[in-house]
Amino acid sequence: MSKYMVNLKINNIPISVEEGTTILDAAKRLNFHIPTLCNHPDLSVAGNCRVCVVEVKGARLLAASCATPVSEGMEVFTNSEKVRIARKHVVELLLSEHNADCTKCFKNGHCELQELASEYRYGDHIFIDLVPFKQKFLDISSPSITKDTSKCIRCQRCVRTCAELQAVSALAVVHKGSHQTISTFMDKPMNDVVCTNCGQCINRCPTGALYERNYIEDVWNAIYDPNKFVVVQTAPATRVAVGEDLGLEPGHRVTGKMVAALKKMGFNKILDTDFTADLTIMEEGTELLTRLKKALVDKDETVKLPMMTSCSPGWIKFQEHMFPDLLPNLSTCKSPQQMFGSLAKTYYADKINIKAENMVVVSIMPCTAKKFECNRPEMRDSGFKDVDYVLTTRELAMMIKQAGIEFDKLEDQHYDSILGESTGAAVIFGATGGVMEAALRTAYEIVTGSEVPFANLNIKPVRGMEGVKEASIKIKNAKPEWSFLEGVEMNVAVAHGLANAKKLMEAVSSGTANYHFIEIMGCPGGCIGGGGQPIPTSPEIRRKRAEAIYAEDMGMDIRKSHENPEVVEVYKDYLGHPCGHQSHELLHTHYVERKRY
Amino acid sequence: MEQKHLKRVDLIFEWDEKNPPIQVLDETLQKTPDAIILEMIDSGLKGRGGAGFPTGLKWKFTRNEDSDIKYVICNADEGEPGTFKDREILDRVPEKIFTGMAICGYVIGAKEGYIYLRAEYNFLLKSLQQKLDKFNQQLKDRQIEFTIFLRSGSGAYVCGEESALFESMEGKRGEPRNKPPYPTVAGYNSKPTVINNVETLVYTCEICRMGADKFKALGTSDSRGSKVFSVSGDTTKPGIYELELGMPLKDFIDEFGDDDAKAVQVGGASGHCVPRKKFNDTIIGFEGIPTGGSMMIFNSSRSMYNVLHDYLEFFTEESCGQCTPCRVGCQQLLKGIEAVKKGERPPSYLEDLKKLTLTMKIAAKCGLGQSVANPFISIVDNFKEEIIY
């Protein structure tokens, strides 16, 4: 249906916009800024904070500009006396209910309410401070997410995030009136509910009501401890995002500067999760081919297809809660973070002659679920906690600032070796479709001896921000040992964001999907949109980060995981062969069924 | 101004043996939907829930929507403090409600109707269901493709707000929606929906029975017809009375109150407080002060501070909590008058609070928050000394 154009005036300036456009968007086009709080580009419209109210000539009520579509002949005023008084009232009311201990708050300087307060608040505090009358509730039960309802302004962005983007609904609105708040099922602690720890709520919380459990002090303590050898690993998606918290525009690749900063901060070795991403491809690719052989040739019915990736810990916990029947479909491979941890405290510790108990492994992750993952009891294959502390990209930026480092002036530096070399296939793990693309680059070549039939190795059908993507590759000229795959059409699917994952899982459960391999990333856009990434987030910002990820790939000398020389060396020196005995000990894991409530 | 005097009317509860509701239905369905709409518009009937939207227009807008599925909903979530007339109607003449719904269904092209019954009225469920089963069977016998179902609320005042009621019916948390779209375009299940108050539906049935002319002979040009009032408070005659619209409040007090009545709260907690000195000039109707039915009389023994405090406690509790002006505004008003009473804030703080209610009136998402200004300003302005000292 073609859209009609609607003519209206905003602050006396005429504009013509498509029907259905909100007043807010129309005003944006004329460069009139209307403040918002509950509105978010990733979420449905709520219209409940009322900060964005505007006056419409002839209307009895002010209109929430985020929720009101334009109409023909409308005359809108975005800064009339009525609007200004109402907006100031709304900001004052929000502040009266908000525990404004700004200087102690993790979100100090990044808080949307604080920003509005500085714009609209002056003179006396009009209203009565309601915070003392409220039940304060700080939930630190989760190793990933801290929830402080005394900071909550009830915009419900977290609730919509959890329901709309993630289909989890761990957070919901409870009670009404003055008791209305955001809580969990039966007010249980965050760690005891279906929360996947994805942290998407954090990325969209305008205040400090939701933030990551931070381990900055623990990591500084480890760095300063002369008896500790502190090894740091950095995830693929951090290098295209950390700059955003350090004054750079989204889409900046800062890999070399990040390594330089980590060296200056005093980490003993700067290594790369990208290395274990390559290793993951070797293990997961081999596991896939093995499963295919068992299923297709040996007709082994205990082998489950489609196989599903296991890199994203939010996705793993989602599956444990929501689709426990499909747990056998998950690859048994640990995530790259945990592969790194167990190798660092065994193989690597041996190699550099450091006792595992004296080694501290720190991860820099775009993710809050990784904080939970490193605390899973099964993640202690080295005999110690394989990964000691997980810091988000945001925490890293904070530490860089604390260390007084002028980030943009740093000279690029290289990762240390060994466990620091990586390929283009590893860095694209950071974007949705990346693991699939990396796996196909390697698996296809293992089977056929030739490169995947896509120009420049770029498997475009699995890239991009479509919620669920599908692709097929026909295997031609398989090597003799893989002859059972000759002519097979490999069907793959990719989903990002758990709401999309849920759709795919429902299709798999009902038997309507016919895939061999599925990649799921828990967060929208994949790790580049992770719950630990710089705030704000939007489709536009995630697109820029993804572009940077693929640019990073194109700039790498080696772009296939099986050609990573350090990976080859580690197999030769220590692991033997992919999915071999040693790998099973260190690089693979198992899952547990979890209840929904 | 056109003025009527207090006159008792007996339409709502009257039972015409010669022309019972089902017969009214049969006769009405002989007419075209457009003719029925014209009759409704001509009658001047406005919604009896309090907001007063012209019923004929509501039906017309919904009829004009292009949709295979439409709904008729009877709003029986009677929760306004001091209002208890729907309960009586539901108990005594539910057939008239059903008939109004069936006529509406015929007019707009709906096959399903729902009665959303206040949770506290669940004691009516059994008898209502029995009468409804009979009525649904009568529709079936006549091959009228319309069925009415009963739904029970869960106790939230805000679910009387039409869009919150739809959310509640859809199994969600009862929170008002953004408007537009209005229910006539996207109501229950996002389909075009007519939602009318219990009493309104009965009047549609009555208008079909007696004709628009007889109905509009009652009341004034702005407030046609009669209305059922719930009279409570300091009166010797509490109860339910059907009265012609457009009378001065003075007449009402002469009938139901006494010389000691110092104020009448017209329209429940969300209505206006009228002090004695304004009884003569206050018309009960859409041109003066409209009411969903509640008339609470307060005599000199009552503290208007306590009255306002009770209302504010009620709103603080019953706000759904989603929009800032209502959720936090109500709390501030309540804490605010407490602080003034205790001397923690100066009397001039009441002026700040009045300004806040004006913001709530234009910036809150739904009628709940928007109407808190009514009791607040009218009580504070007329009984300031009682609030301060």
Side-chain angles (χ1 to χ4, degrees):
Chain A
M1 203 170 68
S2 66
K3 293 240 174 179
Y4 294 101
M5 297 306 281
V6 174
N7 302 294
L8 70 155
K9 280 185 186 168
I10 300 179
N11 300 336
N12 298 316
I13 299 175
I15 183 174
S16 184
V17 294
E18 282 184 343
E19 67 165 340
T21 307
T22 61
I23 295 174
L24 180 68
D25 287 337
K28 241 177 235 168
R29 287 192 214 166
L30 290 172
N31 295 320
F32 287 119
H33 171 69
I34 301 173
T36 56
L37 274 176
C38 67
N39 195 53
H40 194 281
D42 287 323
L43 304 173
S44 67
V45 170
N48 59 21
C49 74
R50 314 309 278 186
V51 167
C52 74
V53 288
V54 294
E55 187 170 350
V56 177
K57 196 174 171 183
R60 180 174 61 91
L61 306 171
L62 300 180
S65 60
C66 70
T68 311
V70 294
S71 61
E72 187 63 35
M74 199 179 230
E75 288 185 51
V76 176
F77 300 92
T78 65
N79 192 37
S80 68
E81 187 185 9
K82 269 188 192 172
V83 169
R84 224 187 53 81
I85 292 173
R87 201 171 279 159
K88 190 163 153 40
H89 269 142
V90 169
V91 173
E92 285 284 352
L93 289 175
L94 287 171
L95 287 166
S96 76
E97 213 185 24
H98 177 76
N99 177 17
D101 62 350
C102 299
T103 54
K104 290 188 254 172
C105 181
F106 197 65
K107 288 289 275 294
N108 191 12
H110 302 276
C111 171
E112 293 176 43
L113 181 62
Q114 194 178 40
E115 207 174 299
L116 264 181
S118 64
E119 280 174 23
Y120 283 91
R121 195 182 216 197
Y122 49 84
D124 289 339
H125 186 120
I126 303 179
F127 297 124
I128 293 168
D129 184 8
L130 298 173
V131 178
F133 300 99
K134 303 267 170 179
Q135 198 186 359
K136 259 193 200 172
F137 191 63
L138 184 67
D139 183 346
I140 52 163
S141 64
S142 158
S144 294
I145 299 174
T146 302
K147 180 165 150 284
D148 181 354
T149 36
S150 72
K151 305 276 175 70
C152 175
I153 59 166
R154 280 81 170 165
C155 68
Q156 302 186 22
R157 278 197 203 168
C158 57
V159 174
R160 281 175 284 151
T161 299
C162 204
E164 295 168 12
L165 301 180
Q166 302 297 71
V168 172
S169 291
L171 293 172
V173 183
V174 299
H175 307 305
K176 60 184 164 51
S178 56
H179 302 290
Q180 188 242 38
T181 189
I182 310 301
S183 190
T184 53
F185 180 71
M186 300 295 283
D187 280 331
K188 286 186 180 184
M190 286 284 276
N191 207 32
D192 290 350
V193 294
V194 288
C195 174
T196 65
N197 305 303
C198 73
Q200 289 301 312
C201 53
I202 297 175
N203 285 3
R204 288 167 188 80
C205 178
T207 69
L210 288 157
Y211 54 96
E212 61 267 52
R213 188 71 183 276
N214 95 70
Y215 298 90
I216 291 176
E217 291 307 314
D218 305 75
V219 172
W220 281 125
N221 288 343
I223 289 173
Y224 291 137
D225 187 338
N227 300 317
K228 295 293 182 195
F229 189 86
V230 188
V231 170
V232 63
Q233 55 166 325
T234 65
T238 56
R239 65 204 68 197
V240 297
V242 69
E244 290 167 37
D245 269 355
L246 298 162
L248 300 173
E249 286 296 307
H252 255 78
R253 292 148 59 194
V254 292
T255 316
K257 288 191 197 307
M258 183 171 71
V259 174
L262 291 165
K263 287 202 171 154
K264 273 199 187 311
M265 285 157 68
F267 286 101
N268 296 94
K269 289 287 175 192
I270 321 299
L271 302 174
D272 204 354
T273 317
D274 285 21
F275 165 82
T276 34
D278 280 330
L279 197 63
T280 300
I281 290 301
M282 299 307 294
E283 293 292 325
E284 206 162 88
T286 306
E287 185 186 354
L288 174 66
L289 293 172
T290 310
R291 284 197 192 208
L292 287 172
K293 182 167 183 298
K294 282 183 181 164
L296 300 178
V297 180
D298 308 340
K299 307 287 180 205
D300 180 347
E301 283 178 7
T302 62
V303 171
K304 297 292 177 204
L305 287 176
M307 189 173 97
M308 299 168 190
T309 59
S310 57
C311 318
S312 168
W315 149 242
I316 294 298
K317 190 158 182 270
F318 176 85
Q319 199 72 340
E320 289 176 329
H321 284 294
M322 309 289 189
F323 293 93
D325 292 349
L326 294 177
L327 288 178
N329 294 62
L330 283 176
S331 162
T332 59
C333 288
K334 284 183 186 172
S335 71
Q337 153 170 294
Q338 294 304 138
M339 284 197 185
F340 182 96
S342 58
L343 265 191
K345 289 198 179 176
T346 53
Y347 165 74
Y348 183 67
D350 272 356
K351 197 165 173 93
I352 59 170
N353 210 12
I354 296 277
K355 281 186 183 159
E357 65 251 47
N358 292 331
M359 182 180 276
V360 174
V361 174
V362 176
S363 305
I364 311 295
M365 293 283 144
C367 185
T368 47
K370 294 275 176 200
K371 291 174 188 267
F372 173 85
E373 185 187 37
C374 83
N375 284 302
R376 289 178 73 116
E378 61 271 23
M379 297 300 176
R380 303 175 70 92
D381 285 335
S382 62
F384 303 91
K385 199 176 159 194
D386 292 337
V387 172
D388 295 275
Y389 303 111
V390 176
L391 302 175
T392 60
T393 312
R394 295 186 290 263
E395 289 171 270
L396 171 63
M398 230 176 250
M399 289 180 77
I400 291 172
K401 285 183 199 162
Q402 289 171 2
I405 295 166
E406 282 196 67
F407 191 72
D408 55 341
K409 302 224 167 73
L410 291 172
E411 292 283 333
D412 285 0
Q413 292 206 28
H414 286 292
Y415 285 98
D416 292 313
S417 182
I418 189 169
L419 311 193
E421 182 70 69
S422 69
T423 73
V427 78
I428 59 175
F429 266 58
T432 166
V435 176
M436 180 58 70
E437 181 165 349
L440 290 176
R441 284 182 193 173
T442 288
Y444 191 88
E445 206 165 314
I446 289 174
V447 172
T448 67
S450 40
E451 291 188 340
V452 281
F454 289 90
N456 292 325
L457 300 173
N458 296 335
I459 308 181
K460 294 266 171 79
V462 297
R463 295 186 183 182
M465 294 301 168
E466 198 63 34
V468 176
K469 294 166 278 188
E470 292 178 314
S472 298
I473 296 188
K474 194 163 192 165
I475 295 173
K476 286 185 203 147
N477 305 321
K479 288 182 185 172
E481 62 268 40
W482 302 104
S483 60
F484 68 94
L485 288 172
E486 180 61 31
V488 168
E489 190 96 12
M490 281 276 286
N491 297 321
V492 302
V494 173
H496 59 113
L498 293 170
N500 293 318
K502 186 182 174 196
K503 284 182 213 157
L504 209 45
M505 289 310 111
E506 279 166 353
V508 170
S509 286
S510 66
T512 54
N514 182 30
Y515 305 112
H516 297 101
F517 190 31
I518 293 176
E519 177 208 291
I520 307 278
M521 289 294 158
C523 293
C527 306
I528 47 140
Q533 292 283 63
I535 299 170
T537 185
S538 70
E540 179 64 13
I541 290 170
R542 294 194 293 276
R543 194 182 54 73
K544 286 182 179 166
R545 291 176 190 161
E547 275 170 14
I549 283 274
Y550 288 112
E552 188 88 356
D553 169 34
M554 285 302 280
M556 301 289 273
D557 295 335
I558 310 170
R559 298 183 53 223
K560 292 176 280 192
S561 298
H562 55 281
E563 291 176 358
N564 180 336
E566 288 190 0
V567 167
V568 174
E569 187 182 335
V570 170
Y571 275 115
K572 203 172 111 213
D573 269 12
Y574 187 69
L575 291 171
H577 55 85
C579 295
H581 174 72
Q582 189 75 299
S583 293
H584 264 288
E585 294 291 313
L586 294 177
L587 308 182
H588 290 256
T589 186
H590 59 271
Y591 308 104
V592 291
E593 185 174 339
R594 293 173 199 272
K595 296 216 159 31
R596 287 172 95 151
Y597 45 81
Chain B
M1 198 189 282
E2 190 186 355
Q3 209 177 85
K4 294 276 177 168
H5 286 283
L6 183 134
K7 187 175 118 193
R8 295 208 187 175
V9 181
D10 193 11
L11 291 177
I12 291 277
F13 297 107
E14 186 197 19
W15 192 264
D16 186 348
E17 280 300 341
K18 279 176 271 168
N19 193 4
I22 193 71
Q23 198 175 316
V24 173
L25 179 68
D26 288 337
E27 282 162 16
T28 306
L29 297 198
Q30 302 303 313
K31 301 177 190 168
T32 65
D34 289 328
I36 301 170
I37 285 174
L38 276 180
E39 182 132 37
M40 285 305 148
I41 293 173
D42 184 39
S43 75
L45 176 63
K46 290 179 180 176
R48 293 299 194 243
F53 192 83
T55 306
L57 283 182
K58 199 182 259 190
W59 288 17
K60 185 180 171 187
F61 293 156
T62 314
R63 173 169 168 75
N64 289 345
E65 285 298 312
D66 185 19
S67 172
D68 291 344
I69 301 175
K70 295 180 186 178
Y71 298 105
V72 181
I73 291 174
C74 168
N75 187 344
D77 194 42
E78 182 177 47
E80 188 64 45
T83 312
F84 41 87
K85 44 110 188 162
D86 290 343
R87 158 182 174 160
E88 197 70 7
I89 299 172
L90 288 156
D91 194 27
R92 285 166 57 188
V93 286
E95 294 83 356
K96 290 191 181 184
I97 306 168
F98 307 154
T99 302
M101 291 176 77
I103 294 170
C104 178
Y106 167 70
V107 167
I108 66 166
K111 296 185 181 67
E112 285 179 24
Y114 290 87
I115 297 170
Y116 185 92
L117 188 70
R118 183 187 188 203
E120 290 82 348
Y121 290 177
N122 274 351
F123 65 90
L124 290 170
L125 263 178
K126 201 174 156 194
S127 73
L128 261 182
Q129 188 65 57
Q130 278 169 358
K131 291 172 186 164
L132 190 53
D133 288 344
K134 190 179 159 207
F135 185 79
N136 279 333
Q137 188 56 47
Q138 287 175 320
L139 293 177
K140 223 177 195 176
D141 295 344
R142 288 164 168 76
Q143 273 139 27
I144 297 169
E145 213 186 328
F146 188 75
T147 315
I148 300 173
F149 304 91
L150 273 175
R151 286 288 183 83
S152 179
S154 296
Y157 169 71
V158 76
C159 288
E161 197 280 343
E162 53 196 22
S163 63
L165 186 150
F166 301 145
E167 292 285 301
S168 168
M169 277 184 63
E170 290 172 20
K172 300 175 200 153
R173 193 180 149 83
E175 287 184 345
R177 297 175 182 167
N178 291 302
K179 285 165 221 148
Y182 293 97
T184 53
V185 176
Y188 177 49
N189 288 336
S190 301
K191 301 293 178 191
T193 303
V194 163
I195 175 161
N196 282 144
N197 172 261
V198 171
E199 184 186 342
T200 312
L201 285 163
V202 174
Y203 278 122
T204 65
C205 173
E206 285 305 304
I207 289 165
C208 289
R209 183 178 66 86
M210 64 187 198
D213 285 343
K214 277 191 184 161
F215 180 81
K216 72 181 181 187
L218 293 167
T220 63
S221 58
D222 285 332
S223 311
R224 296 290 184 200
S226 51
K227 163 108 200 66
V228 186
F229 291 87
S230 316
V231 181
S232 66
D234 295 314
T235 170
T236 50
K237 292 188 269 187
I240 291 168
Y241 301 90
E242 186 173 2
L243 304 171
E244 188 175 2
L245 282 170
M247 65 182 163
L249 191 51
K250 172 85 169 48
D251 281 20
F252 176 84
I253 280 299
D254 288 347
E255 175 74 16
F256 297 101
D258 56 28
D259 288 346
D260 196 29
K262 71 172 173 185
V264 179
Q265 179 74 17
V266 181
S270 65
H272 295 261
C273 180
V274 184
R276 168 164 283 279
K277 62 180 185 231
K278 292 181 187 163
F279 286 173
N280 274 326
D281 315 326
T282 302
I283 304 290
I284 302 304
F286 297 105
E287 62 270 64
I289 299 184
T291 167
S294 170
M295 303 292 275
M296 277 184 271
I297 302 168
F298 298 112
N299 69 18
S300 61
S301 73
R302 308 291 165 184
S303 152
M304 293 315 284
Y305 171 84
N306 286 347
V307 170
L308 180 59
H309 192 271
D310 277 3
Y311 290 166
L312 292 174
E313 266 188 336
F314 174 77
F315 288 124
T316 300
E317 177 89 21
E318 290 298 340
S319 164
C320 79
Q322 73 169 318
C323 87
T324 312
C326 181
R327 179 188 69 251
V328 197
C330 290
Q331 295 175 66
Q332 286 296 348
L333 296 175
L334 179 61
K335 297 270 183 242
I337 64 163
E338 285 175 356
V340 170
K341 192 78 173 172
K342 287 185 209 149
E344 292 165 3
R345 294 262 168 159
S348 64
Y349 188 56
L350 292 173
E351 294 305 311
D352 290 331
L353 295 178
K354 272 164 63 185
K355 283 183 199 154
L356 170 61
T357 63
L358 292 177
T359 285
M360 292 167 70
K361 188 175 187 149
I362 56 172
K365 194 168 182 172
C366 82
L368 196 165
Q370 289 159 15
S371 61
V372 178
N374 300 338
F376 192 87
I377 293 182
S378 59
I379 293 178
V380 167
D381 277 355
N382 291 309
F383 300 96
K384 195 170 253 166
E385 300 73 23
E386 292 191 37
I387 305 301
I388 298 169
Y389 303 109

